[in-house]
């Protein structure tokens, strides 16, 4: 870090334990620090740089939109907002047909819970041990990771937490006061935990039988990360609501709730709102992101790259297990993950940690190439 940078950073509230680098530039799956050193980025700014850093199509779309109209709120129609909603809804399974734009993942979850409460006339929400849904009041109260829930005290009443993967426990907890089940289909921060076979199907049946809504938090799994555009629809399970953020704008802040026809039909104007959600720059970024994912066949790239990563990593001494799907992978090590992450950083490779001290997380851009995967595997072999 240069002394100039250090002086400038001193005014920031110290909210994060920071990695020892200052990033100034990015392109594709590479970022550069303020001394000019390059890093292969398998973290993507926390699963955000879906199309890579500064994808030219995304940059062009944002710049062109900026020259036309920087902002107008939801009180008027914007062609670019309508296009973004149509582009996203076109990727979603029926009956998820409507989109409500917000600014972040936590806001998407707050609004999804409210939509479910108003649609059912019920108050409570079931979520799952290990889950993470954001840091605003209602979302943090749904955190299954207790340390976050505690940070959000006093919690919003009516949240019930059940074990992830235990259908009978969800059945017992789901009574006539429950409006919704809120679940990450793959629990990322918890250490990349996938649901047991048939579990999500079972939750869908429970919700149908007992009149509750199913919300998938796809803030991480959405927008191609698992090799499908959305996890919604996988194995025939379609939730009533899907929340999105992270990769949706390839780095431009945005969140969204995908809403079923049935719930959308109950929405009364003025009950939901946001000033900045669905702003033109974010919408331009989202339209470009969808287009790049399609044009560059990024879903296929994720499936192919994931196979290479999993098979390469599974052969390494020191790797106990590789969990997850697509480019949302957890590497379970036979040792603490942090020194491994730090040694990789020293070699110019960025990977993430998780809530489990022996699990590293990979959340790379969807554009990651075979040669970059080989660079990472070689570095990993040396470090381990
Ligand atoms: C699964 C999941 N849901 C929600 C959120 C909250 O998103 P945001 O930080 O954009 O509010 C996150 C953030 O890491 C997340 O991983």
């Amino acid at each position: 870090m240069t002394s100039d940078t250090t002086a400038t950073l001193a005014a920031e509230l110290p909210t994060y334990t920071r990695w020892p680098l200052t990033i100034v530039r990015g392109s594709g799956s590479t970022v550069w620090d303020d001394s000019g050193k390059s890093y292969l980025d398998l973290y993507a700014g926390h699963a955000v740089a879906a199309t890579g850093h500064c994808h030219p199509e995304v940059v062009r779309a944002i710049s062109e939109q900026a020259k036309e109209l920087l902002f107008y709120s939801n009180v008027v129609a914007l062609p670019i907002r309508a296009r973004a909603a149509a582009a996203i809804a076109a990727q979603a399974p029926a009956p998820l047909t409507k989109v409500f734009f917000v600014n972040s993942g936590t806001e998407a979850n707050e609004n999804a819970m409210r939509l479910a409460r108003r649609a059912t006339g019920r108050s409570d929400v079931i979520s799952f041990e290990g889950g993470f849904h954001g840091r605003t009041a209602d979302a943090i109260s749904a955190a299954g990771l207790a340390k976050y829930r505690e940070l959000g005290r006093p919690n919003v009443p009516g949240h019930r937490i059940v074990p992830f993967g235990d259908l009978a426990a969800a059945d017992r907890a789901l009574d006539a006061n429950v409006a919704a089940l809120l679940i990450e289909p793959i629990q990322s921060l918890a250490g990349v935990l996938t649901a047991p076979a048939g579990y999500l199907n079972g939750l869908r049946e429970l919700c149908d039988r007992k009149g509750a809504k199913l919300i998938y938090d796809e803030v991480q799994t959405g927008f191609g990360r698992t090799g499908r555009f959305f996890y919604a629809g996988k194995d025939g399970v379609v939730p009533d609501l899907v929340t999105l953020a992270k990769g949706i704008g390839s780095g431009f802040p945005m969140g969204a709730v995908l809403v079923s026809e049935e719930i959308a039909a109950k929405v009364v104007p003025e009950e939901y709102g946001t000033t900045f959600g669905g702003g033109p720059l974010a919408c331009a970024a989202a339209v470009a992101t969808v287009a790049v994912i399609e044009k560059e066949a990024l879903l296929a790239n994720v499936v192919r790259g994931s196979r290479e990563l999993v098979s390469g990593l599974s052969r390494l001494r020191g790797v106990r297990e590789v969990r997850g799907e697509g480019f949302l992978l957890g590497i379970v090590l036979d040792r603490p993950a942090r020194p491994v992450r730090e040694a990789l950083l020293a070699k110019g490779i960025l990977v993430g940690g998780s809530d489990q001290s022996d699990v590293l997380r990979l959340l790379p851009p969807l554009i990651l190439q075979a040669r970059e995967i080989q660079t990472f595997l070689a570095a990993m072999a040396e470090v381990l």
Side-chain angles (χ1 to χ4, degrees):
M1 211 182 282
T2 64
S3 56
D4 265 10
T5 321
T6 313
T8 330
L9 292 179
E12 284 186 58
L13 193 70
T15 51
Y16 276 78
T17 309
R18 288 207 166 137
W19 297 347
L21 81 164
T22 300
I23 291 178
V24 293
R25 190 160 68 85
S27 174
S29 298
T30 304
V31 290
W32 284 265
D33 73 10
D34 55 351
S35 74
K37 180 176 172 182
S38 70
Y39 297 81
L40 175 60
D41 185 12
L42 304 186
Y43 190 64
H46 209 117
V48 168
T51 56
H53 294 281
C54 302
H55 192 293
E57 302 278 325
V58 177
V59 171
R60 189 164 55 80
I62 296 169
S63 319
E64 283 179 3
Q65 182 60 51
K67 287 181 219 146
E68 285 290 315
L69 179 69
L70 217 46
F71 186 72
Y72 213 95
S73 69
N74 286 281
V75 77
V76 298
L78 301 179
I80 188 67
R81 189 188 299 128
R83 277 174 58 209
I88 292 169
Q91 302 293 335
L96 296 165
T97 52
K98 298 279 194 278
V99 184
F100 174 39
F101 289 115
V102 290
N103 305 285
S104 63
T106 197
E107 252 184 276
N109 284 321
E110 298 274 326
N111 281 287
M113 287 188 276
R114 185 182 302 171
L115 280 153
R117 290 189 182 107
R118 293 197 65 79
T120 58
R122 301 173 175 186
S123 58
D124 291 5
V125 172
I126 293 178
S127 54
F128 298 83
E129 283 172 14
F132 179 76
H133 304 289
R135 295 168 189 266
T136 49
D138 213 2
I140 208 166
S141 302
L145 291 166
K147 94 176 172 210
Y148 294 99
R149 205 167 58 248
E150 290 299 313
L151 287 170
R153 280 190 175 280
N155 292 143
V156 171
H159 281 276
R160 310 174 185 189
I161 317 279
V162 301
F164 182 70
D166 181 344
L167 199 56
D171 194 0
R172 281 194 300 278
L174 211 176
D175 62 26
N177 290 322
V178 173
L181 271 63
L182 170 62
I183 189 163
E184 283 176 90
I186 300 178
Q187 290 190 328
S188 180
L189 187 56
V192 190
L193 305 177
T194 46
Y199 181 61
L200 296 170
N201 235 306
L203 294 181
R204 177 69 273 177
E205 282 168 18
L206 271 184
C207 285
D208 289 343
R209 184 153 49 82
K210 298 193 178 184
K213 302 300 176 196
L214 183 60
I215 308 171
Y216 273 10
D217 177 339
E218 293 219 46
V219 167
Q220 294 221 12
T221 58
F223 263 74
R225 180 147 299 282
T226 70
R228 308 170 47 88
F229 206 97
F230 295 119
Y231 212 86
K234 189 176 184 207
D235 302 326
V237 184
V238 182
D240 303 286
L241 297 144
V242 172
T243 59
L244 303 167
K246 302 273 192 209
I248 187 169
S250 288
F252 202 96
M254 184 182 230
V257 192
L258 260 168
V259 183
S260 72
E261 282 288 348
E262 184 228 333
I263 296 179
K266 295 183 176 155
V267 168
V268 176
E270 311 295 338
E271 284 185 354
Y272 304 88
T274 159
T275 299
F276 286 118
L281 298 187
C283 288
V287 169
T289 300
V290 175
V292 168
I293 290 173
E294 288 198 316
K295 194 163 128 197
E296 299 185 11
L298 294 185
L299 301 183
N301 189 59
V302 170
V303 172
R304 202 168 40 237
S306 183
R307 237 183 263 131
E308 287 169 31
L309 280 166
V310 173
S311 83
L313 285 165
S314 305
R315 274 190 239 119
L316 295 182
R317 199 169 46 87
V319 172
R320 287 220 165 105
E321 187 191 351
V322 185
R323 300 197 288 236
E325 289 177 40
F327 280 172
L328 173 48
L329 295 176
I331 310 169
V332 187
L333 301 171
D334 66 354
R335 65 197 76 179
R338 187 172 172 166
V340 175
R341 180 170 63 70
E342 288 169 351
L344 285 167
L345 190 140
K347 282 181 170 296
I349 294 181
L350 304 182
V351 300
S354 79
D355 192 61
Q356 287 183 17
S357 61
D358 58 347
V359 178
L360 285 177
R361 262 188 312 166
L362 302 184
L363 307 158
L366 313 184
I367 55 160
L368 190 71
Q369 298 299 300
R371 68 185 151 70
E372 293 166 327
I373 291 174
Q374 292 313 317
T375 302
F376 165 63
L377 290 173
M380 195 64 179
E382 277 177 37
V383 167
L384 290 175

